[in-house]
């Protein structure tokens, strides 16, 4: 049966500016891929991040349309051709999984259900971390308090935008109120530390029982990052370092050189679902831990990432994942994703009429 593919664009608006060490986002553009066989339709989101994604190219829509035309002709996704375009691959993977499960009549042809897990059946939630975006000292303090009041016992702070001493004070405030037994602290530097200062800053942070810090220095400095991973008193997680490393052998090679404690995976950035499975397998062989996060997608992408997470790690996920971004936009798409306490749940009843 032939497949028809259409692509639509949509700009989402943040409720409040999302600050990172690379700048501040106020809007978010996504391309939605619709695959249809005439009776069933699958939807996936392609959402590159400007100045970060390896496939955030000027003619993104044109290249995406070319891959969609290939799917029309062949009825299949060319995974090898799409390796350099992880966000496009992720959107097409999502749409194809959605379509094929409907065609198979899985669970009465429900849209948006990609895997059969306890999470997708609505039986369990996925534990997530509370995310505190970069901002002024006062803004970050207020956001941190809000996350703690909501009951999150794992909080992730994005740092690197304000004076380091003030960020250190934020961390100190948490530890004055909550021990590491009560609240797990994660940090994300987004490559903000100069290499010459990184180890000193990591030593200062280590006195506050930090779980891990993501990407302390800029990516593509493998020798420096490897040295930091050896010398740091804090466990280091790689994030941006994984972007653009799409060959399976190169993935293992890089992990073998740097030897991080963790890797943090975003399907839109790190090879789609197929590429993330490769990363997880390579890391597992070396005793490297991992968790999955979203990358500011709409709820279409977040739904796929959460379901993928439940499929990869099973029905009893202990490590908090980074899946709490669904409340960031004023004009998001309703996908039945709901945060209760510190867990993300899926309500399948809202999947009857998905509109993008």
């Amino acid at each position: 049966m032939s497949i028809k593919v259409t692509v639509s664009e949509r700009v989402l608006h943040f409720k409040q500016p999302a600050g990172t060490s690379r700048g501040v986002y106020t809007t978010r553009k996504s391309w939605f891929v619709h695959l249809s066989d005439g009776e069933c339709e699958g939807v996936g989101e392609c959402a590159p991040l400007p100045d970060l994604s390896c496939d955030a190219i000027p003619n993104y829509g044109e290249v995406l349309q070319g891959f969609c035309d290939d799917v029309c002709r062949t009825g299949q996704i060319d995974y090898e051709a799409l390796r350099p375009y992880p966000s496009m691959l992720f959107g097409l993977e999502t749409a194809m999984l959605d379509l094929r499960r409907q065609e198979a009549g899985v669970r009465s042809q429900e849209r948006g259900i990609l895997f059969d897990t306890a999470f997708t059946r609505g039986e369990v939630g996925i534990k997530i971390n509370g995310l505190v975006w970069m901002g002024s000292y006062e803004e970050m303090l207020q956001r941190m308090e809000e996350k703690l009041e909501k009951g999150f016992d794992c909080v992730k702070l994005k740092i690197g935008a304000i004076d380091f001493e003030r960020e250190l004070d934020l961390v100190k405030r948490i530890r004055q109120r909550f021990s590491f037994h009560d609240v797990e602290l994660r940090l994300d530097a987004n490559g903000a530390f100069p290499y010459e200062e990184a180890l000193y800053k990591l030593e200062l942070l280590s006195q506050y029982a930090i779980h891990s810090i993501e990407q302390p220095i800029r990516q593509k400095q493998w020798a420096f990052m490897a040295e930091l991973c050896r010398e740091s008193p804090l466990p280091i997680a790689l994030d941006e370092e994984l972007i653009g490393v799409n060959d399976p052998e190169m993935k293992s090679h890089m992990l073998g050189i740097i030897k991080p404690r963790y890797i943090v995976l975003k399907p839109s950035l790190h090879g789609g679902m197929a590429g993330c499975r490769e990363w997880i397998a390579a890391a597992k062989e070396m005793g490297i831990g991992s968790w999955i996060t979203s990358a500011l997608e709409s709820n279409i992408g977040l739904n796929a990432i959460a379901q993928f997470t439940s499929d990869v790690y099973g029905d009893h996920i202990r490590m908090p994942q980074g899946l709490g971004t669904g409340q960031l936009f004023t004009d998001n798409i309703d996908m039945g994703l709901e945060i209760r306490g510190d867990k993300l749940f899926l309500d399948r009843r809202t999947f009857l009429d998905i509109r993008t």
Side-chain angles (χ1 to χ4, degrees):
M1 186 176 292
S2 63
I3 295 177
K4 179 182 178 181
V5 185
T6 58
V7 179
S8 61
E9 299 178 23
R10 180 165 175 169
V11 176
L12 300 170
H13 299 82
F14 285 90
K15 293 178 181 178
Q16 58 187 23
T20 75
S21 60
R22 291 176 300 277
V24 178
Y25 294 110
T26 57
T27 61
R28 178 75 162 98
K29 185 175 182 179
S30 290
W31 285 257
F32 294 96
V33 176
H34 305 253
L35 302 185
S36 174
D37 63 6
E39 296 182 2
C40 303
E41 181 181 82
V43 181
E45 181 177 6
C46 305
L49 281 168
D51 302 320
L52 183 61
S53 298
C54 63
D55 57 354
I57 52 179
N59 60 336
Y60 186 93
E62 178 183 340
V63 174
L64 174 60
Q65 187 62 59
F67 286 119
C68 290
D69 293 342
D70 290 340
V71 173
C72 283
R73 288 192 297 268
T74 66
Q76 297 179 340
I77 296 173
D78 189 340
Y79 285 87
E80 288 304 313
L82 278 158
R83 278 191 182 276
Y85 306 95
S87 66
M88 299 184 197
L89 174 56
F90 175 58
L92 283 166
E93 284 177 308
T94 301
M96 187 65 79
L97 279 170
D98 192 4
L99 176 64
R100 294 309 186 198
R101 281 181 64 84
Q102 291 176 62
E103 289 178 336
V106 178
R107 293 196 173 271
S108 303
Q109 298 185 343
E110 285 182 297
R111 294 185 63 185
I113 302 298
L114 314 179
F115 302 97
D116 183 19
T117 67
F119 172 74
T120 64
R121 294 191 296 269
E123 298 168 0
V124 300
I126 299 175
K127 190 176 179 65
I128 62 176
N129 60 250
L131 178 60
V132 176
W133 286 96
M134 290 180 179
S136 68
Y137 177 85
E138 291 74 19
E139 289 171 337
M140 293 182 69
L141 181 60
Q142 179 184 350
R143 294 167 190 169
M144 182 181 69
E145 294 285 351
E146 289 172 354
K147 296 301 180 184
L148 295 174
E149 288 175 3
K150 288 181 178 179
F152 285 95
D153 59 14
C154 178
V155 179
K156 173 179 169 179
L157 277 69
K158 283 187 171 290
I159 62 174
I162 62 176
D163 180 73
F164 177 73
E165 293 299 325
R166 292 175 71 78
E167 291 175 331
L168 195 64
D169 184 63
L170 282 171
V171 174
K172 180 180 178 181
R173 281 173 175 261
I174 297 179
R175 278 292 170 254
Q176 286 175 337
R177 289 181 54 194
F178 302 96
S179 75
F180 69 93
H181 296 292
D182 300 317
V183 174
E184 178 179 287
L185 280 180
R186 297 177 180 177
L187 304 178
D188 185 0
N190 288 125
F193 296 167
Y195 168 71
E196 296 78 10
E197 302 173 7
L199 187 57
Y200 172 68
K201 290 182 175 180
L202 294 177
E203 288 172 347
L204 290 178
L205 289 166
S206 68
Q207 62 187 311
Y208 299 111
I210 306 298
H211 171 271
S212 58
I213 183 167
E214 297 176 35
Q215 204 69 40
I217 61 174
R218 286 185 297 105
Q219 65 267 41
K220 298 182 180 180
Q221 302 182 87
W222 289 11
F224 288 159
M225 186 66 84
E227 182 180 348
L228 277 182
C229 287
R230 287 195 304 270
E231 302 296 331
S232 172
L234 289 182
I236 290 176
L238 301 186
D239 181 355
E240 288 91 341
E241 199 72 65
L242 313 180
I243 296 172
V245 182
N246 300 312
D247 179 76
E249 291 186 4
M250 186 59 69
K251 292 175 181 180
S252 295
H253 180 61
M254 189 195 75
L255 292 179
I257 289 175
I258 298 179
K259 296 182 174 63
R261 183 76 65 87
Y262 302 103
I263 57 174
V264 184
L265 295 165
K266 300 177 174 69
S268 290
L269 296 177
H270 302 136
M273 299 184 203
C276 285
R277 289 186 193 275
E278 291 176 351
W279 277 115
I280 291 169
K284 190 173 182 180
E285 285 187 4
M286 301 180 196
I288 297 169
S290 65
W291 67 85
I292 294 173
T293 82
S294 53
L296 305 182
E297 296 88 356
S298 77
N299 277 338
I300 295 288
L302 179 59
N303 168 64
I305 295 168
Q307 292 192 38
F308 172 65
T309 301
S310 70
D311 185 64
V312 168
Y313 294 130
D315 292 340
H316 305 287
I317 303 173
R318 295 183 178 180
M319 178 174 284
Q321 308 293 305
L323 306 175
T325 58
Q327 300 176 323
L328 293 177
F329 304 108
T330 61
D331 45 4
N332 210 333
I333 299 160
D334 189 6
M335 287 291 292
L337 296 169
E338 180 183 354
I339 295 177
R340 305 175 203 161
D342 63 351
K343 290 185 178 181
L344 181 70
F345 288 84
L346 184 62
D347 183 351
R348 299 167 70 123
R349 292 172 296 181
T350 61
F351 276 50
L352 298 177
D353 187 24
I354 300 170
R355 297 179 184 272
T356 58

